[in-house]
Amino acid sequence: MDDEHSKTVFDNETSSSDFEEDPRYKIANREALIGVGIAIANFLWWFLFAYGLGSKPVEEYTYILGFPAWFFYSCVLGFIVFSVVVILAVKFFFTDVSLEEEGGNGE
Amino acid sequence: MNWPVVAPLLIFLAAVFAIGFYASKHIQKAPLFLQEYFLGSRELGGFMLAMTMVATYGSASSFIGGPGVAYTMGFGWVLLAMSQLVTGYFTLAVLGKKFAIMSRKIKAITLVDFLKERYHSKWVVLLSSFSIIIFMFAVMAAQWVGGGRLIQSVTGVSYTSALFIFAMAVLVYVAIGGFRAVVITDTLQGIVMVFGTLFVLAGVIIAGGGVSNIVGELVAENPNLVTPYGHDLSLSALYVSSFWILVGVGVVGLPQVAVRAMAYKNSKAMHRAMIVGTIVVGFIMLGMHVTGVFARPVMPGIEVGDTVMPLITMEVLPAWLAGIVLAAPMAAIMSTVDSLLLLVSSTIIKDVYINYVKPDAKERVVKRLSITITAVLGLVVFLMAISPPDFLIWLNLYAFGGLQAAFIWPIIMGLYWKKGNAYGALTSIIVGVSSYIIFDVLWTNPLGMHGVVLPVILAFIGYVVATYLTHNDHSSQHRETIIKFWSA
């Protein structure tokens, strides 16, 4: 019973041995983790640029395209960068699977 | 009456009616009425999925309230608003294919269906139905008030007539067209929102003489306006970051958003929606809130935050374009309330009536009842919105956070943790909602964060602890559930 306490949210548990787990869930779990990963990177980008550059006195601010640099990097560039990250992640890491019942032969 | 401004609104209303009638044709033909009426027969494509998620989530606050606060606070509030970028991809990635596959396995039509099959507990079903009905009712009423006021301010008709026009429009297309009408109108509304944002942002930048000029004037007025900390330095980094829970990742727990993750057609639709959704939500949030900040030097001295958007639009754009832009907040409000109306009605019909009152109800009866209940609900909300009782206003304040605190863990853990059981879910709902309300009354912004953060953490602990404490109860039924949900 000891190992129970080391379980994490996303694990495949011990009891799955007596039935075959839907193979599509492996893909789904991986994609959910990718989503979490992008969100964490998104937060760090947003936070570090905003408060890294923005906590200086206003007299020392630099400006890009008219916006304060912290805002430009954190919010404007951040928006563009993470849109691209989502596009790339979907293109390269998300798998096309059938969603219908009895995996694979739906429709 | 200001016809150039009113005309686009009227065209918009006409389009929305037409969509309602178009969708009602599908309902007559569909083989499974409930699945069509409440889920559009799971035929959502990628673009529509993205638009309906963004439009359902983006409400009056994105177009009216938020820019109004940005006008006062400066760039710090735009930074806060940009925490919403994450909703574009996170919700779909996390609920993702698993939610779509599982809900097909169990033929779930509503979020409560999913919880019912996953937890097999009458109390989970009743408690979650009850929270959805109560909270959503309050949110709807508040949004209708917003819609009525907006029409009133643009057209000059009295508040009650404005509310009547707004209510009738929404009521008719939702009642007769169901989910399909909701998502098609959401798509139209989403497009209006994008173009509205584009026009008003461009208009305000031109009127202010370019970005550099505007930012220069902001610095001259009050340098704090261009910092991340707000005009009075009241926005701490921790407080602003905590909004990543409330309006960012926590959106996963909102039933009106989650239910869309069971309605899409195939995995291509989901992939496409993540991309489109991220770009659209980012653009709208960035554009509208920057507009709010830039409005300050262009039109100084606006006292009431909620009037910033209508005023600046009329100021910087020609009348006919202003009409299109002002259709955007109306679209935002409509696309939120239509989804909520349908969600509440599906909860009453599917989750309460068919589950507990009359499980053997005939399809014909269910059909008539669904349309009637949806219409009656709409009328009740309309009557309440004429002069909203204080109780409703109070509930509305708690609705967003309350629903998140209630549902986030029963959904997420239900999907990803096989051990999770009914006791965990029940504890999570009760602890989440009650601690959120208690904290808000007794301890506003605990530890300097938004009030939703601690309750979400407590609800998580409650879920895990209660699940472990009751681990062996009902184990054979629990095993059956696991096999039903997880086996190939």
Side-chain angles (χ1 to χ4, degrees):
Chain A
M1 278 312 189
D2 237 350
D3 62 336
E4 278 200 6
H5 299 280
S6 59
K7 295 290 182 213
T8 56
V9 182
F10 290 93
D11 65 357
N12 292 309
E13 294 193 3
T14 43
S15 58
S16 53
S17 53
D18 49 343
F19 67 92
E20 196 199 333
E21 183 161 321
D22 194 320
R24 294 172 294 175
Y25 288 169
K26 246 206 175 102
I27 296 168
N29 290 355
R30 198 191 58 179
E31 290 176 1
L33 282 175
I34 293 173
V36 174
I38 299 176
I40 292 171
N42 194 171
F43 174 77
L44 290 175
W45 177 290
W46 171 93
F47 186 92
L48 293 175
F49 274 116
Y51 296 103
L53 295 174
S55 52
K56 286 189 293 197
V58 176
E59 303 83 67
E60 294 170 26
Y61 273 14
T62 50
Y63 296 87
I64 296 169
L65 300 179
F67 293 101
W70 70 265
F71 181 80
F72 179 82
Y73 286 119
S74 171
C75 295
V76 182
L77 192 65
F79 164 45
I80 297 167
V81 165
F82 281 91
S83 300
V84 174
V85 167
V86 170
I87 293 171
L88 295 178
V90 165
K91 266 219 149 58
F92 294 109
F93 300 114
F94 278 59
T95 319
D96 219 346
V97 297
S98 162
L99 304 173
E100 304 306 319
E101 272 187 273
E102 316 312 336
N105 55 4
E107 291 182 312
Chain B
M1 196 170 284
N2 190 353
W3 282 109
V5 178
V6 175
L9 294 179
L10 287 178
I11 296 172
F12 185 71
L13 285 181
V16 157
F17 273 115
I19 292 169
F21 282 106
Y22 163 77
S24 71
K25 294 256 154 48
H26 273 272
I27 290 175
Q28 277 145 28
K29 282 185 301 199
L32 297 166
F33 168 75
L34 281 174
Q35 174 139 312
E36 167 65 29
Y37 193 71
F38 292 124
L39 221 46
S41 303
R42 299 191 213 271
E43 285 175 351
L44 260 185
F47 183 70
M48 281 202 188
L49 174 63
M51 286 315 226
T52 185
M53 287 192 97
V54 173
T56 298
Y57 169 70
S59 63
S61 73
S62 332
F63 282 86
I64 306 281
V69 181
Y71 179 88
T72 309
M73 286 277 194
F75 279 113
W77 200 259
V78 190
L79 177 69
L80 185 149
M82 282 311 280
S83 60
Q84 296 171 95
L85 178 64
V86 72
T87 60
Y89 57 87
F90 187 78
T91 315
L92 276 174
V94 167
L95 295 176
K97 288 165 188 156
K98 205 156 190 182
F99 198 46
I101 294 170
M102 281 183 174
S103 65
R104 277 168 169 84
K105 278 188 203 279
I106 59 171
K107 304 195 167 43
I109 289 172
T110 64
L111 174 66
V112 177
D113 273 344
F114 169 80
L115 298 175
K116 174 171 170 260
E117 291 297 318
R118 177 66 182 79
Y119 295 114
H120 285 286
S121 155
K122 193 174 176 174
W123 288 109
V124 170
V125 172
L126 290 178
L127 209 56
S128 45
S129 302
F130 183 72
S131 353
I132 289 179
I133 294 170
I134 292 291
F135 281 131
M136 288 306 179
F137 208 84
V139 179
M140 264 196 287
Q143 293 276 335
W144 288 40
V145 172
R149 294 233 172 97
L150 185 76
I151 296 183
Q152 180 192 18
S153 72
V154 174
T155 62
V157 301
S158 75
Y159 171 69
T160 315
S161 346
L163 188 68
F164 183 77
I165 299 171
F166 180 79
M168 281 307 129
V170 175
L171 226 149
V172 170
Y173 78 76
V174 177
I176 66 170
F179 189 81
R180 194 180 293 270
V182 169
V183 296
I184 300 176
T185 51
D186 279 3
T187 305
L188 177 72
Q189 285 150 355
I191 294 170
V192 171
M193 285 154 72
V194 169
F195 282 99
T197 305
L198 184 68
F199 293 149
V200 71
L201 177 63
V204 79
I205 290 176
I206 294 167
V211 177
S212 299
N213 197 23
I214 295 171
V215 172
E217 285 182 48
L218 287 170
V219 176
E221 190 205 329
N222 175 0
N224 294 338
L225 288 168
V226 304
T227 68
Y229 302 105
H231 70 299
D232 54 357
L233 304 180
S234 62
L235 298 174
S236 74
L238 182 66
Y239 180 71
V240 173
S241 300
S242 69
F243 277 78
W244 275 72
I245 304 289
L246 183 73
V247 296
V249 297
V251 169
V252 168
L254 292 179
Q256 70 271 37
V257 174
V259 74
R260 280 160 169 68
M262 19 169 116
Y264 57 87
K265 191 164 46 177
N266 50 32
S267 41
K268 278 208 178 62
M270 173 210 161
H271 297 166
R272 184 141 183 245
M274 283 177 66
I275 296 173
V276 176
T278 305
I279 295 173
V280 170
V281 80
F283 178 74
I284 290 176
M285 295 305 166
L286 186 63
M288 288 313 297
H289 289 85
V290 166
T291 301
V293 178
F294 283 5
R296 193 176 180 87
V298 176
M299 255 188 119
I302 301 176
E303 299 282 335
V304 183
D306 283 359
T307 61
V308 170
M309 269 315 296
L311 289 176
I312 192 76
T313 308
M314 310 265 216
E315 167 82 14
V316 302
L317 295 176
W320 62 276
L321 209 52
I324 297 177
V325 172
L326 289 176
M330 191 163 85
I333 296 171
M334 269 193 189
S335 58
T336 301
V337 297
D338 62 6
S339 316
L340 302 185
L341 187 58
L342 200 65
L343 178 73
V344 174
S345 125
S346 74
T347 307
I348 293 175
I349 307 270
K350 180 74 177 59
D351 303 330
V352 179
Y353 180 76
I354 296 185
N355 275 344
Y356 296 111
V357 183
K358 207 159 191 287
D360 56 348
K362 287 206 179 59
E363 170 120 342
R364 216 165 39 86
V365 180
V366 171
K367 195 167 176 173
R368 201 179 319 136
L369 204 66
S370 301
I371 296 174
T372 317
I373 294 262
T374 310
V376 170
L377 264 174
L379 281 177
V380 176
V381 180
F382 165 69
L383 292 176
M384 289 229 158
I386 291 179
S387 114
D390 289 346
F391 171 69
L392 221 58
I393 304 293
W394 182 83
L395 259 180
N396 175 51
L397 293 178
Y398 292 102
F400 211 73
L403 285 165
Q404 285 181 4
F407 289 113
I408 189 165
W409 300 119
I411 299 175
I412 299 280
M413 300 297 265
L415 286 173
Y416 291 103
W417 196 37
K418 290 198 191 84
K419 274 203 182 64
N421 64 21
Y423 299 102
L426 265 181
T427 313
S428 186
I429 294 174
I430 295 169
V431 168
V433 176
S434 54
S435 68
Y436 181 54
I437 294 179
I438 292 169
F439 272 149
D440 203 80
V441 174
L442 299 179
W443 191 19
T444 320
N445 300 336
L447 312 174
M449 296 179 293
H450 185 277
V452 81
V453 179
L454 283 187
V456 164
I457 296 171
L458 291 177
F460 175 76
I461 297 172
Y463 189 106
V464 175
V465 169
T467 293
Y468 273 120
L469 288 180
T470 58
H471 187 46
N472 286 321
D473 292 0
H474 306 299
S475 54
S476 74
Q477 193 190 43
H478 189 73
R479 282 200 59 71
E480 258 174 53
T481 309
I482 297 300
I483 290 173
K484 190 166 169 192
F485 275 76
W486 266 272
S487 69

